Amino acid sequence: MSTRAIVIDDTDPGIVYDGEWIADKGSKDNNGNYGPPYLSTMHYIKGTGSFSYSFHGTYVGIFGATMDKTNPSRDCYIDGTKIASSVLSAAENGVMHCQQDGLTDGPHVITLNVTAANPTFYWFDDLMYVPSASVPLDNAAVFIKIGDPAMQFGTGWAPFSVGYATRQQNSIYGLDFFGESLTWFGFYNSSVPFAATTGTYSIDSENPISFNLNGVASQNTGAQLNQIFFSTGQLPNKQHSLQVVYQGDNNTTPLSIYCVIIQNGTGPVLAASSGTSASASTLPSGSTGTGASSTSSGANSTTTPTPSSLPTHHSNHTGIIVGCVIGALALALLIFAFLFIRQRTKRRKTQDSNINVVEPFNASPSMAERLSSQSPTYISSSPPPGSNSKGKQPRGMASFDSSERTSPPPMSPKKSWRVAGLQAGGPQSPSRIPTQVSAPPSSDDPSVIMIHEDSGVRMPVHSDLNRANVNVVEMPPTYSAN
């Protein structure tokens, strides 16, 4: 649903009148509680007549006034097809007489025929339409309703009645816009305090200008809608920033807003926006003295000003393109060279590490069978320091009873032994693991496994090896990469 539209005043030269229409200025400003007519001007006719207007857009509505409870006689047409008219039964300004939404985006013509003389005449105020994106806003009045994404509400603001309101002191409202002037439309409601207070507005961070807020008139009517709180006057035709600050509190008239109308200059066009608006069905019929009906609904897309007719600059970009291509190729070559050198270095390191690995001694199948058929007992040259004879030994060593084994005599320093790699957890330091020999507990032809070590130190020979019937099985030392 659109939150922006173009307002066409009854004095616009694009409106084609047929019949004896009379222009009025300000005589009906106090009619009802919906505020004065848009720009305080209207056209009225005593008898029959008509008017029409051509536009490009997707929504259109006609707004006017009634002077009593009599529903004025009229028929509305869009492109020659009759549409429904609203039933009017009270004296009010700015009420919707007929409208149509969901039109095909393109050119249309709306026509209103006054079919019979009315006792208090027929009064026409303005019409509004949601334009196509290509429609220029040269000197157009742009209606921006609450819910537009360009409206920025600070703390304290909340939905109230037909719009938004705040009762929090120093609450701030902001809006960036393009145009030559801005008019703020608010409302008063008797359900909240209506003591007089003030607010301020500033344009482009200039000195704030004060405006009055006084809702005392609403105590007799319940509400006063479409009230002009302030108008900026003439501004330079460019982009501006509006900031409004509320100076009241919970005991004074709230600051409220229903819409703003910006008088645009030559420049932007109305382009689609992704914002959404508040539901029009929550607003009472005919609550926009500016020509905006609170029951009117717009197109499905919100529109916002964007620059139009900007000059197009053409230039030759061949040199830039060639330079970018050459630079990209050079970068790709550098990356390839880096990856190639890195991979080659990694491969060379892998090969070097493989050269330094010493393959362990592999026992022959007959020796493996022989070793698997025995259950050797592991003997340490001495218990580890600080441990008792039957305590737990360092990791990888079997427990033993020192009373069953005797310390072997010293051996030649040319060789050293250690137990075959049966300890868990990987290679151990020779300084922490004493050299061990293995011998069977009893056998007619006992065998002892002797594994040489590479430390160059010969450990003492176990006393069992001095026996004549002991078969010594010697195994070469095992090496590790470290």
Side-chain angles (χ1 to χ4, degrees), residues 78 234 333:
I78 294 182
Q234 191 70 23
L333 289 175

Side-chain angles (χ1 to χ4, degrees), residues 211-231:
F211 60 90
N212 295 322
L213 298 170
N214 191 345
V216 65
S218 64
Q219 63 181 325
N220 297 324
T221 60
Q224 291 288 321
L225 307 179
N226 297 319
Q227 302 296 303
I228 297 177
F229 284 3
F230 65 86
S231 183

Side-chain angles (χ1 to χ4, degrees), residues 22 210 224 248 276 321 353 407:
I22 302 171
S210 180
Q224 291 288 321
T276 58
I321 294 174
S353 62
S407 298

Side-chain angles (χ1 to χ4, degrees), residues 159-174:
F160 175 66
S161 184
V162 297
Y164 278 25
T166 180
R167 298 171 62 186
Q168 180 175 317
Q169 193 172 41
N170 297 321
S171 289
I172 297 176
Y173 167 96

Side-chain angles (χ1 to χ4, degrees), residues 99-446:
Q99 66 177 357
Q100 185 64 50
D101 192 10
L103 299 173
T104 302
D105 193 353
H108 301 282
V109 177
I110 185 169
T111 302
L112 185 141
N113 294 332
V114 179
T115 57
N118 295 281
T120 53
F121 316 137
Y122 177 81
W123 296 80
F124 165 59
D125 183 4
D126 62 271
L127 62 85
M128 294 178 61
Y129 73 96
V130 174
S132 302
S134 59
V135 175
L137 298 184
D138 297 357
N139 300 315
V142 181
F143 171 93
I144 305 179
K145 187 180 177 181
I146 54 170
D148 190 275
M151 292 187 174
Q152 303 296 317
F153 296 90
T155 58
W157 287 91
F160 175 66
S161 184
V162 297
Y164 278 25
T166 180
R167 298 171 62 186
Q168 180 175 317
Q169 193 172 41
N170 297 321
S171 289
I172 297 176
Y173 167 96
L175 175 67
D176 293 335
F177 68 97
F178 187 100
E180 297 176 338
S181 68
L182 180 146
T183 303
W184 178 293
F185 291 84
F187 55 89
Y188 300 119
N189 192 294
S190 62
S191 66
V192 293
F194 43 77
T197 185
T198 59
T200 64
Y201 75 90
S202 61
I203 301 294
D204 301 331
S205 301
E206 295 182 355
N207 293 332
I209 300 174
S210 180
F211 60 90
N212 295 322
L213 298 170
N214 191 345
V216 65
S218 64
Q219 63 181 325
N220 297 324
T221 60
Q224 291 288 321
L225 307 179
N226 297 319
Q227 302 296 303
I228 297 177
F229 284 3
F230 65 86
S231 183
T232 63
Q234 191 70 23
L235 299 171
N237 182 26
K238 64 176 186 177
Q239 189 78 15
H240 298 285
S241 179
L242 168 71
Q243 179 173 290
V244 181
V245 180
Y246 177 54
Q247 296 182 319
D249 54 36
N250 283 332
N251 300 314
T252 59
T253 301
L255 172 61
S256 61
I257 182 174
Y258 172 69
C259 71
V260 297
I261 294 182
I262 298 171
Q263 184 63 43
N264 197 40
T266 303
V269 296
L270 209 60
S273 171
S274 59
T276 58
S277 68
S279 173
S281 61
T282 62
L283 306 178
S285 175
S287 64
T288 62
T290 66
S293 169
S294 58
T295 60
S296 65
S297 60
N300 292 329
S301 61
T302 305
T303 53
T304 54
T306 58
S308 65
S309 303
L310 298 178
T312 302
H313 177 68
H314 299 281
S315 61
N316 189 346
H317 301 290
T318 303
I320 297 177
I321 294 174
V322 172
C324 291
V325 172
I326 294 175
L329 290 175
L331 179 61
L333 289 175
L334 288 175
I335 294 174
F336 175 78
F338 171 76
L339 294 176
F340 176 78
I341 295 172
R342 182 180 179 184
Q343 185 66 20
R344 185 174 181 180
T345 303
K346 184 177 180 181
R347 188 182 302 113
R348 181 175 299 170
K349 288 182 179 180
T350 302
Q351 292 174 354
D352 293 342
S353 62
N354 291 336
I355 292 173
N356 295 328
V357 174
V358 179
E359 295 294 335
F361 172 79
N362 294 321
S364 63
S366 59
M367 182 177 292
E369 292 174 357
R370 187 172 181 180
L371 292 175
S372 62
S373 64
Q374 298 177 356
S375 300
T377 301
Y378 302 102
I379 304 170
S380 175
S381 60
S382 63
S387 66
N388 55 38
S389 61
K390 297 192 179 190
K392 289 186 179 180
Q393 307 305 313
R395 184 165 54 96
M397 300 297 295
S399 62
F400 70 99
D401 188 344
S402 60
S403 63
E404 298 175 359
R405 306 295 179 184
T406 59
S407 298
M411 296 180 61
S412 170
K414 293 183 180 180
K415 292 184 180 179
S416 65
W417 302 337
R418 67 179 174 184
V419 178
L422 298 177
Q423 64 265 31
Q428 303 297 322
S429 171
S431 62
R432 295 188 57 190
I433 304 178
T435 301
Q436 302 165 353
V437 295
S438 173
S442 64
S443 174
D444 295 338
D445 185 17

